[in-house]
Short mmCIF file of all heavy atoms in Angstrom, two decimals:
data_model
loop_
_atom_site.label_atom_id
_atom_site.label_comp_id
_atom_site.label_asym_id
_atom_site.label_seq_id
_atom_site.Cartn_x
_atom_site.Cartn_y
_atom_site.Cartn_z
N MET A 5 0.84 -1.27 -0.12
CA MET A 5 -0.02 0.05 0.00
C MET A 5 0.87 1.16 -0.01
O MET A 5 1.92 1.20 0.57
CB MET A 5 -0.95 -0.06 1.19
CG MET A 5 -0.16 -0.12 2.58
SD MET A 5 -1.36 -0.18 3.98
CE MET A 5 -2.11 -1.84 3.61
N PRO A 6 0.47 2.29 -0.64
CA PRO A 6 1.35 3.49 -0.75
C PRO A 6 1.34 4.23 0.57
O PRO A 6 0.23 4.53 1.10
CB PRO A 6 0.50 4.29 -1.85
CG PRO A 6 -0.93 3.96 -1.72
CD PRO A 6 -0.80 2.45 -1.28
N ILE A 7 2.56 4.70 0.92
CA ILE A 7 2.69 5.58 1.97
C ILE A 7 3.21 6.85 1.42
O ILE A 7 4.28 6.88 0.64
CB ILE A 7 3.68 4.86 3.04
CG1 ILE A 7 3.17 3.59 3.49
CG2 ILE A 7 3.98 5.87 4.22
CD1 ILE A 7 4.17 2.84 4.44
N TYR A 8 2.52 7.96 1.74
CA TYR A 8 3.03 9.30 1.37
C TYR A 8 3.58 10.10 2.55
O TYR A 8 3.18 10.00 3.65
CB TYR A 8 1.86 10.09 0.73
CG TYR A 8 1.35 9.31 -0.62
CD1 TYR A 8 0.37 8.59 -0.54
CD2 TYR A 8 2.00 9.67 -1.73
CE1 TYR A 8 -0.16 8.04 -1.73
CE2 TYR A 8 1.65 9.06 -2.90
CZ TYR A 8 0.45 8.19 -3.04
OH TYR A 8 0.05 7.64 -4.09
N GLU A 9 4.61 10.83 2.23
CA GLU A 9 5.08 11.70 3.24
C GLU A 9 4.71 13.13 2.90
O GLU A 9 4.87 13.60 1.73
CB GLU A 9 6.64 11.58 3.11
CG GLU A 9 7.42 12.38 4.21
CD GLU A 9 8.88 12.16 4.31
OE1 GLU A 9 9.19 11.05 4.11
OE2 GLU A 9 9.58 13.17 4.51
N TYR A 10 4.31 13.78 3.79
CA TYR A 10 3.73 15.08 3.73
C TYR A 10 4.68 16.14 4.58
O TYR A 10 5.25 15.73 5.45
CB TYR A 10 2.30 15.26 4.14
CG TYR A 10 1.47 14.37 3.48
CD1 TYR A 10 1.19 13.14 3.76
CD2 TYR A 10 0.71 14.81 2.30
CE1 TYR A 10 0.27 12.24 3.12
CE2 TYR A 10 -0.17 14.06 1.63
CZ TYR A 10 -0.34 12.84 2.04
OH TYR A 10 -1.21 12.03 1.28
N VAL A 11 4.73 17.35 4.08
CA VAL A 11 5.28 18.46 4.81
C VAL A 11 4.32 19.57 4.97
O VAL A 11 3.79 20.08 4.01
CB VAL A 11 6.60 18.96 4.16
CG1 VAL A 11 7.19 20.09 4.89
CG2 VAL A 11 7.61 17.82 4.03
N CYS A 12 3.97 19.82 6.04
CA CYS A 12 2.92 20.84 6.38
C CYS A 12 3.50 22.15 5.89
O CYS A 12 4.51 22.65 6.09
CB CYS A 12 2.65 20.83 7.89
SG CYS A 12 1.47 22.08 8.25
N ASP A 13 2.49 22.92 5.20
CA ASP A 13 3.01 24.29 4.59
C ASP A 13 2.84 25.21 5.78
O ASP A 13 3.46 26.26 5.60
CB ASP A 13 2.05 24.67 3.54
CG ASP A 13 2.21 23.83 2.33
OD1 ASP A 13 3.33 23.15 2.17
OD2 ASP A 13 1.34 23.82 1.39
N ASP A 14 2.13 24.96 6.76
CA ASP A 14 2.00 26.02 7.79
C ASP A 14 3.06 25.95 8.96
O ASP A 14 3.59 26.96 9.23
CB ASP A 14 0.64 25.86 8.52
CG ASP A 14 -0.46 26.41 7.61
OD1 ASP A 14 -0.22 27.18 6.59
OD2 ASP A 14 -1.61 25.97 7.72
N CYS A 15 3.29 24.80 9.42
CA CYS A 15 4.32 24.65 10.53
C CYS A 15 5.52 23.73 10.07
O CYS A 15 6.43 23.70 10.87
CB CYS A 15 3.61 23.95 11.81
SG CYS A 15 3.38 22.17 11.47
N GLY A 16 5.45 23.22 8.89
CA GLY A 16 6.60 22.45 8.60
C GLY A 16 6.85 21.07 9.01
O GLY A 16 7.88 20.43 8.98
N GLN A 17 5.84 20.58 9.69
CA GLN A 17 5.87 19.30 10.37
C GLN A 17 5.85 18.21 9.20
O GLN A 17 5.07 18.34 8.20
CB GLN A 17 4.55 19.17 11.21
CG GLN A 17 4.38 17.79 11.83
CD GLN A 17 5.40 17.30 12.81
OE1 GLN A 17 6.07 18.19 13.53
NE2 GLN A 17 5.60 16.09 13.03
N ARG A 18 6.66 17.30 9.33
CA ARG A 18 6.75 16.20 8.52
C ARG A 18 6.03 14.95 9.01
O ARG A 18 6.30 14.61 10.07
CB ARG A 18 8.17 15.82 8.04
CG ARG A 18 9.00 16.88 7.45
CD ARG A 18 10.35 16.53 7.19
NE ARG A 18 10.42 15.39 6.26
CZ ARG A 18 11.52 15.04 5.64
NH1 ARG A 18 12.57 15.87 5.72
NH2 ARG A 18 11.59 14.01 4.88
N TYR A 19 5.19 14.34 8.16
CA TYR A 19 4.50 13.18 8.61
C TYR A 19 4.09 12.29 7.38
O TYR A 19 4.08 12.68 6.34
CB TYR A 19 3.13 13.53 9.41
CG TYR A 19 2.29 14.55 8.66
CD1 TYR A 19 1.13 14.15 7.93
CD2 TYR A 19 2.60 15.99 8.64
CE1 TYR A 19 0.32 14.95 7.26
CE2 TYR A 19 1.74 16.86 7.97
CZ TYR A 19 0.65 16.35 7.29
OH TYR A 19 -0.14 17.17 6.51
N GLU A 20 3.80 11.03 7.79
CA GLU A 20 3.58 10.09 6.76
C GLU A 20 2.15 9.42 6.94
O GLU A 20 1.72 9.28 8.14
CB GLU A 20 4.55 8.95 6.87
CG GLU A 20 5.91 9.40 6.59
CD GLU A 20 7.04 8.42 7.15
OE1 GLU A 20 6.65 7.51 7.69
OE2 GLU A 20 8.14 8.71 6.93
N ARG A 21 1.54 9.21 5.84
CA ARG A 21 0.14 8.63 5.93
C ARG A 21 0.04 7.59 4.85
O ARG A 21 0.62 7.66 3.70
CB ARG A 21 -0.88 9.70 5.60
CG ARG A 21 -1.08 10.76 6.82
CD ARG A 21 -1.62 10.05 8.00
NE ARG A 21 -1.40 10.75 9.13
CZ ARG A 21 -2.15 11.77 9.65
NH1 ARG A 21 -3.16 12.16 8.97
NH2 ARG A 21 -1.81 12.42 10.70
N ILE A 22 -0.67 6.55 5.26
CA ILE A 22 -0.94 5.49 4.29
C ILE A 22 -2.29 5.97 3.62
O ILE A 22 -3.39 6.15 4.31
CB ILE A 22 -1.27 4.14 5.03
CG1 ILE A 22 0.12 3.69 5.68
CG2 ILE A 22 -1.76 3.16 3.91
CD1 ILE A 22 -0.12 2.49 6.49
N VAL A 23 -2.32 6.09 2.38
CA VAL A 23 -3.37 6.82 1.55
C VAL A 23 -4.06 5.65 0.84
O VAL A 23 -3.51 5.01 -0.18
CB VAL A 23 -3.01 7.94 0.76
CG1 VAL A 23 -4.19 8.48 -0.05
CG2 VAL A 23 -2.31 8.92 1.65
N MET A 24 -5.32 5.31 1.19
CA MET A 24 -6.03 4.21 0.40
C MET A 24 -6.47 4.77 -0.94
O MET A 24 -6.53 4.17 -2.03
CB MET A 24 -7.12 3.79 1.16
CG MET A 24 -6.69 3.05 2.53
SD MET A 24 -5.56 1.72 2.31
CE MET A 24 -5.26 1.23 3.93
N ASN A 25 -6.82 5.97 -1.00
CA ASN A 25 -7.38 6.57 -2.24
C ASN A 25 -6.93 8.13 -2.18
O ASN A 25 -6.67 8.74 -1.11
CB ASN A 25 -8.75 6.32 -2.55
CG ASN A 25 -9.64 6.81 -1.35
OD1 ASN A 25 -9.83 8.11 -1.22
ND2 ASN A 25 -10.32 5.94 -0.71
N GLN A 26 -7.08 8.71 -3.31
CA GLN A 26 -6.68 10.15 -3.55
C GLN A 26 -7.65 11.08 -2.74
O GLN A 26 -7.28 12.23 -2.57
CB GLN A 26 -6.61 10.57 -4.93
CG GLN A 26 -5.51 9.68 -5.73
CD GLN A 26 -4.12 9.97 -5.22
OE1 GLN A 26 -3.85 11.12 -4.73
NE2 GLN A 26 -3.25 9.10 -5.25
N ARG A 27 -8.78 10.62 -2.38
CA ARG A 27 -9.68 11.47 -1.82
C ARG A 27 -9.57 11.60 -0.31
O ARG A 27 -10.22 12.26 0.46
CB ARG A 27 -11.11 10.92 -2.11
CG ARG A 27 -11.48 11.07 -3.59
CD ARG A 27 -12.85 10.64 -3.74
NE ARG A 27 -13.16 10.74 -5.26
CZ ARG A 27 -14.38 10.41 -5.82
NH1 ARG A 27 -15.44 9.83 -5.04
NH2 ARG A 27 -14.70 10.61 -7.05
N THR A 28 -8.72 10.68 0.20
CA THR A 28 -8.39 10.74 1.63
C THR A 28 -7.95 12.14 2.13
O THR A 28 -7.00 12.60 1.52
CB THR A 28 -7.43 9.58 2.00
OG1 THR A 28 -7.81 8.36 1.66
CG2 THR A 28 -7.13 9.60 3.55
N LYS A 29 -8.58 12.75 3.12
CA LYS A 29 -8.14 13.96 3.59
C LYS A 29 -7.00 13.86 4.64
O LYS A 29 -7.24 13.06 5.55
CB LYS A 29 -9.41 14.70 4.15
CG LYS A 29 -9.02 16.21 4.56
CD LYS A 29 -10.26 16.84 5.08
CE LYS A 29 -9.95 18.29 5.41
NZ LYS A 29 -11.05 19.03 5.96
N VAL A 30 -5.96 14.49 4.39
CA VAL A 30 -4.76 14.39 5.18
C VAL A 30 -4.68 15.76 5.83
O VAL A 30 -4.54 16.81 5.23
CB VAL A 30 -3.59 14.05 4.53
CG1 VAL A 30 -2.40 13.95 5.34
CG2 VAL A 30 -3.78 12.64 3.83
N THR A 31 -4.59 15.76 7.26
CA THR A 31 -4.30 16.97 7.82
C THR A 31 -3.11 16.78 8.76
O THR A 31 -2.72 15.70 9.22
CB THR A 31 -5.49 17.37 8.78
OG1 THR A 31 -5.83 16.20 9.67
CG2 THR A 31 -6.78 17.66 7.93
N CYS A 32 -2.53 17.95 9.05
CA CYS A 32 -1.31 17.98 9.85
C CYS A 32 -1.51 17.46 11.26
O CYS A 32 -2.67 17.93 11.94
CB CYS A 32 -0.67 19.31 9.89
SG CYS A 32 0.73 19.45 10.94
N PRO A 33 -0.85 16.53 11.83
CA PRO A 33 -1.05 16.11 13.26
C PRO A 33 -0.67 17.22 14.23
O PRO A 33 -1.10 17.00 15.45
CB PRO A 33 -0.28 14.81 13.31
CG PRO A 33 0.88 15.03 12.32
CD PRO A 33 0.21 15.80 11.25
N LYS A 34 0.00 18.13 13.79
CA LYS A 34 0.51 19.11 14.78
C LYS A 34 -0.39 20.33 14.85
O LYS A 34 -0.80 20.79 15.91
CB LYS A 34 1.85 19.51 14.39
CG LYS A 34 2.72 20.32 15.45
CD LYS A 34 4.06 20.59 15.02
CE LYS A 34 4.79 21.30 16.07
NZ LYS A 34 6.22 21.46 15.68
N CYS A 35 -0.76 20.82 13.72
CA CYS A 35 -1.56 22.00 13.70
C CYS A 35 -2.81 21.81 12.99
O CYS A 35 -3.66 22.80 12.78
CB CYS A 35 -0.81 23.22 13.04
SG CYS A 35 -0.58 23.01 11.29
N ASP A 36 -3.16 20.66 12.51
CA ASP A 36 -4.43 20.30 12.07
C ASP A 36 -4.61 21.07 10.72
O ASP A 36 -5.89 21.19 10.27
CB ASP A 36 -5.65 20.52 12.85
CG ASP A 36 -6.75 19.62 12.58
OD1 ASP A 36 -6.54 18.50 12.09
OD2 ASP A 36 -7.86 20.15 12.67
N SER A 37 -3.57 21.48 9.95
CA SER A 37 -3.78 22.28 8.78
C SER A 37 -3.92 21.19 7.52
O SER A 37 -3.37 20.27 7.59
CB SER A 37 -2.58 23.13 8.56
OG SER A 37 -2.67 23.71 7.22
N GLY A 38 -4.85 21.63 6.67
CA GLY A 38 -4.94 20.80 5.42
C GLY A 38 -4.07 21.07 4.28
O GLY A 38 -3.96 20.38 3.31
N LYS A 39 -3.24 22.09 4.52
CA LYS A 39 -2.23 22.54 3.50
C LYS A 39 -0.93 21.83 3.68
O LYS A 39 -0.31 21.91 4.76
CB LYS A 39 -2.02 24.03 3.50
CG LYS A 39 -3.28 24.76 3.08
CD LYS A 39 -3.05 26.17 2.98
CE LYS A 39 -2.86 26.87 4.36
NZ LYS A 39 -2.51 28.33 4.24
N HIS A 40 -0.41 21.09 2.60
CA HIS A 40 0.66 20.37 2.79
C HIS A 40 1.38 20.14 1.42
O HIS A 40 0.69 20.33 0.29
CB HIS A 40 0.45 19.03 3.47
CG HIS A 40 -0.54 18.20 2.81
ND1 HIS A 40 -1.83 18.13 3.33
CD2 HIS A 40 -0.64 17.64 1.50
CE1 HIS A 40 -2.70 17.38 2.49
NE2 HIS A 40 -1.93 17.01 1.45
N THR A 41 2.59 19.79 1.34
CA THR A 41 3.29 19.32 0.24
C THR A 41 3.67 17.85 0.28
O THR A 41 4.12 17.41 1.28
CB THR A 41 4.60 20.16 0.00
OG1 THR A 41 4.34 21.50 0.04
CG2 THR A 41 5.29 19.68 -1.27
N VAL A 42 3.20 17.13 -0.70
CA VAL A 42 3.57 15.82 -0.80
C VAL A 42 4.90 15.46 -1.13
O VAL A 42 5.38 15.87 -2.36
CB VAL A 42 2.41 15.08 -1.74
CG1 VAL A 42 2.74 13.53 -1.71
CG2 VAL A 42 1.02 15.37 -1.35
N GLN A 43 5.55 14.70 -0.45
CA GLN A 43 6.92 14.27 -0.73
C GLN A 43 6.93 12.81 -1.37
O GLN A 43 5.97 12.12 -1.01
CB GLN A 43 7.84 14.32 0.46
CG GLN A 43 7.78 15.55 1.16
CD GLN A 43 8.68 16.67 0.51
OE1 GLN A 43 8.28 17.27 -0.33
NE2 GLN A 43 9.96 16.60 0.82
N LEU A 44 7.95 12.49 -2.05
CA LEU A 44 7.93 11.09 -2.51
C LEU A 44 8.41 10.18 -1.22
O LEU A 44 9.30 10.59 -0.47
CB LEU A 44 9.13 10.95 -3.58
CG LEU A 44 8.60 11.48 -4.94
CD1 LEU A 44 9.82 11.33 -5.84
CD2 LEU A 44 7.45 10.72 -5.51
N SER A 45 7.74 9.04 -1.25
CA SER A 45 7.99 8.24 -0.04
C SER A 45 9.22 7.38 -0.29
O SER A 45 9.25 6.77 -1.33
CB SER A 45 6.70 7.27 0.16
OG SER A 45 7.00 6.43 1.27
N VAL A 46 10.08 7.34 0.78
CA VAL A 46 11.19 6.56 0.54
C VAL A 46 10.86 4.99 0.72
O VAL A 46 11.64 4.22 0.22
CB VAL A 46 12.21 6.95 1.53
CG1 VAL A 46 12.79 8.28 1.31
CG2 VAL A 46 11.78 6.73 3.00
N PHE A 47 9.83 4.75 1.34
CA PHE A 47 9.40 3.35 1.49
C PHE A 47 8.86 2.62 0.17
O PHE A 47 8.64 1.56 0.11
CB PHE A 47 8.33 3.26 2.62
CG PHE A 47 8.79 3.80 3.91
CD1 PHE A 47 8.43 4.99 4.45
CD2 PHE A 47 9.64 3.01 4.65
CE1 PHE A 47 8.92 5.47 5.53
CE2 PHE A 47 10.22 3.47 5.90
CZ PHE A 47 9.75 4.66 6.37
N ALA A 48 8.49 3.62 -0.73
CA ALA A 48 7.89 3.11 -1.97
C ALA A 48 9.08 2.65 -2.90
O ALA A 48 8.72 1.97 -3.90
CB ALA A 48 7.16 4.15 -2.68
N ALA A 49 10.27 2.90 -2.68
CA ALA A 49 11.41 2.45 -3.50
C ALA A 49 11.56 0.96 -3.35
O ALA A 49 11.53 0.31 -2.33
CB ALA A 49 12.74 3.14 -3.08
N PRO A 50 11.59 0.31 -4.57
CA PRO A 50 11.74 -1.22 -4.51
C PRO A 50 13.00 -1.65 -3.91
O PRO A 50 14.04 -1.21 -4.23
CB PRO A 50 11.61 -1.61 -5.97
CG PRO A 50 12.05 -0.39 -6.74
CD PRO A 50 11.65 0.80 -5.89
N SER A 51 12.95 -2.62 -3.15
CA SER A 51 14.22 -3.14 -2.35
C SER A 51 14.77 -4.12 -3.31
O SER A 51 14.19 -5.06 -3.90
CB SER A 51 13.90 -3.70 -1.07
OG SER A 51 13.07 -4.85 -1.27
N ASN A 52 16.10 -4.01 -3.34
CA ASN A 52 16.72 -4.98 -4.34
C ASN A 52 17.03 -6.23 -3.74
O ASN A 52 17.97 -6.45 -2.86
CB ASN A 52 18.21 -4.38 -4.78
CG ASN A 52 18.74 -5.16 -5.90
OD1 ASN A 52 18.26 -6.06 -6.40
ND2 ASN A 52 19.95 -4.71 -6.38
N GLY A 53 16.22 -7.26 -3.91
CA GLY A 53 16.42 -8.61 -3.52
C GLY A 53 17.19 -9.63 -4.31
O GLY A 53 17.24 -10.83 -3.94
N SER A 54 17.59 -9.11 -5.48
CA SER A 54 18.26 -10.06 -6.42
C SER A 54 19.63 -10.44 -5.83
O SER A 54 20.10 -11.51 -6.17
CB SER A 54 18.25 -9.37 -7.87
OG SER A 54 19.20 -8.16 -7.68
N LYS A 55 20.18 -9.68 -5.12
CA LYS A 55 21.50 -9.82 -4.70
C LYS A 55 21.58 -11.07 -3.72
O LYS A 55 22.38 -11.95 -3.77
CB LYS A 55 22.14 -8.75 -4.01
CG LYS A 55 22.72 -7.66 -5.12
CD LYS A 55 23.43 -6.55 -4.34
CE LYS A 55 23.99 -5.50 -5.39
NZ LYS A 55 24.70 -4.39 -4.60
N ALA A 56 20.58 -11.06 -2.93
CA ALA A 56 20.53 -12.17 -1.87
C ALA A 56 20.29 -13.50 -2.48
O ALA A 56 20.87 -14.49 -2.17
CB ALA A 56 19.47 -11.90 -0.88
N SER A 57 19.44 -13.47 -3.52
CA SER A 57 19.18 -14.78 -4.15
C SER A 57 20.24 -15.21 -5.10
O SER A 57 20.57 -16.30 -5.13
CB SER A 57 17.84 -14.69 -5.05
OG SER A 57 18.04 -13.65 -6.03
N ASN A 58 20.98 -14.32 -5.65
CA ASN A 58 22.10 -14.57 -6.48
C ASN A 58 23.25 -15.15 -5.61
O ASN A 58 24.00 -15.97 -6.12
CB ASN A 58 22.50 -13.33 -7.20
CG ASN A 58 23.61 -13.74 -8.22
OD1 ASN A 58 23.73 -14.83 -8.80
ND2 ASN A 58 24.46 -12.58 -8.67
N ARG A 59 23.37 -14.60 -4.47
CA ARG A 59 24.46 -14.95 -3.62
C ARG A 59 24.38 -16.42 -3.10
O ARG A 59 25.35 -17.22 -3.11
CB ARG A 59 24.55 -14.10 -2.30
CG ARG A 59 25.67 -14.24 -1.41
CD ARG A 59 25.65 -13.29 -0.31
NE ARG A 59 26.73 -13.46 0.63
CZ ARG A 59 26.86 -12.69 1.70
NH1 ARG A 59 25.94 -11.88 1.93
NH2 ARG A 59 27.84 -12.81 2.55
N SER A 60 23.16 -16.80 -2.81
CA SER A 60 22.98 -18.09 -2.38
C SER A 60 23.20 -19.18 -3.49
O SER A 60 23.56 -20.34 -3.17
CB SER A 60 21.46 -18.22 -1.72
OG SER A 60 20.54 -18.04 -2.66
N SER A 61 22.84 -18.75 -4.69
CA SER A 61 22.93 -19.79 -5.67
C SER A 61 24.32 -19.94 -6.26
O SER A 61 24.65 -20.97 -6.68
CB SER A 61 22.04 -19.39 -6.80
OG SER A 61 22.32 -18.03 -7.40
N SER A 62 25.10 -18.79 -6.20
CA SER A 62 26.34 -18.86 -6.86
C SER A 62 27.53 -18.68 -5.77
O SER A 62 28.49 -18.18 -6.10
CB SER A 62 26.55 -17.82 -7.93
OG SER A 62 26.43 -16.49 -7.34
N GLY A 63 27.27 -19.08 -4.56
CA GLY A 63 28.29 -19.01 -3.55
C GLY A 63 29.37 -20.04 -3.79
O GLY A 63 29.35 -20.84 -4.64
N PRO A 64 30.34 -20.01 -2.82
CA PRO A 64 31.50 -20.99 -2.94
C PRO A 64 30.94 -22.43 -2.86
O PRO A 64 30.25 -22.76 -1.94
CB PRO A 64 32.39 -20.59 -1.87
CG PRO A 64 31.57 -19.86 -0.81
CD PRO A 64 30.55 -19.09 -1.74
N SER A 65 31.46 -23.24 -3.74
CA SER A 65 30.83 -24.56 -3.69
C SER A 65 31.49 -25.44 -2.48
O SER A 65 32.67 -25.42 -2.38
CB SER A 65 31.16 -25.29 -4.96
OG SER A 65 32.61 -25.23 -5.19
N GLY A 66 30.68 -25.83 -1.71
CA GLY A 66 31.16 -26.64 -0.48
C GLY A 66 31.63 -27.94 -0.95
O GLY A 66 31.08 -28.57 -1.67
N GLY A 67 32.73 -28.38 -0.23
CA GLY A 67 33.24 -29.64 -0.65
C GLY A 67 33.74 -29.71 -2.04
O GLY A 67 33.94 -28.80 -2.69
N GLY A 68 34.06 -30.88 -2.50
CA GLY A 68 34.59 -31.09 -3.81
C GLY A 68 35.92 -30.32 -4.00
O GLY A 68 36.69 -30.05 -3.22
N GLY A 69 36.09 -29.69 -5.26
CA GLY A 69 37.33 -28.86 -5.38
C GLY A 69 38.41 -29.82 -5.46
O GLY A 69 38.46 -30.94 -5.15
N CYS A 70 39.57 -29.17 -5.75
CA CYS A 70 40.90 -29.81 -5.85
C CYS A 70 41.42 -30.10 -4.34
O CYS A 70 42.04 -31.14 -4.22
CB CYS A 70 41.93 -28.98 -6.55
SG CYS A 70 43.45 -29.87 -6.83
N CYS A 71 41.17 -29.15 -3.52
CA CYS A 71 41.81 -29.27 -2.26
C CYS A 71 40.97 -30.00 -1.20
O CYS A 71 40.94 -29.72 -0.05
CB CYS A 71 42.25 -28.03 -1.72
SG CYS A 71 43.32 -27.10 -2.60
N GLY A 72 40.19 -31.03 -1.56
CA GLY A 72 39.39 -31.67 -0.71
C GLY A 72 40.15 -32.68 0.12
O GLY A 72 39.56 -33.20 1.18
N GLY A 73 41.40 -32.93 -0.34
CA GLY A 73 42.17 -33.79 0.65
C GLY A 73 42.51 -35.11 -0.12
O GLY A 73 43.45 -35.84 0.32
N ALA A 74 41.86 -35.34 -1.14
CA ALA A 74 42.03 -36.64 -1.86
C ALA A 74 42.96 -36.54 -3.00
O ALA A 74 43.46 -37.51 -3.53
CB ALA A 74 40.66 -37.11 -2.31
N CYS A 75 43.25 -35.33 -3.45
CA CYS A 75 43.92 -35.22 -4.77
C CYS A 75 45.43 -34.92 -4.49
O CYS A 75 46.35 -35.10 -5.39
CB CYS A 75 43.43 -34.07 -5.65
SG CYS A 75 43.83 -32.38 -4.89
N GLY A 76 45.74 -34.62 -3.27
CA GLY A 76 47.29 -34.32 -2.96
C GLY A 76 47.83 -33.27 -3.57
O GLY A 76 49.03 -33.35 -4.05
N CYS A 77 47.22 -32.11 -3.89
CA CYS A 77 47.75 -31.00 -4.43
C CYS A 77 48.57 -30.07 -3.60
O CYS A 77 49.16 -29.13 -4.07
CB CYS A 77 46.55 -30.25 -5.10
SG CYS A 77 45.59 -29.28 -4.00
N HIS A 78 48.65 -30.35 -2.35
CA HIS A 78 49.37 -29.44 -1.47
C HIS A 78 50.90 -29.68 -1.68
O HIS A 78 51.39 -30.82 -1.49
CB HIS A 78 49.00 -29.73 0.09
CG HIS A 78 47.55 -29.23 0.30
ND1 HIS A 78 47.22 -28.04 0.46
CD2 HIS A 78 46.58 -30.00 0.59
CE1 HIS A 78 45.96 -27.85 0.64
NE2 HIS A 78 45.47 -29.08 0.79
ZN1 ZN B 119 1.21 21.78 10.52
#
């Protein structure tokens, strides 16, 4: 769900609201003013989860390899 960040035009208070629809009336929690500037929410940015999945799939191969102890490469 979208979370919007607002900055009050009257007192400068910053606050965040979950807005279900555009008609939701948002007022400042500090001065109850309806005038505000909508900021881009940082929580809306997509988190990059591809690195975690890539890391687990292409990590160092456990066991096997040349130095497993059976090849005598030391
Ligand atoms: Zn305010």
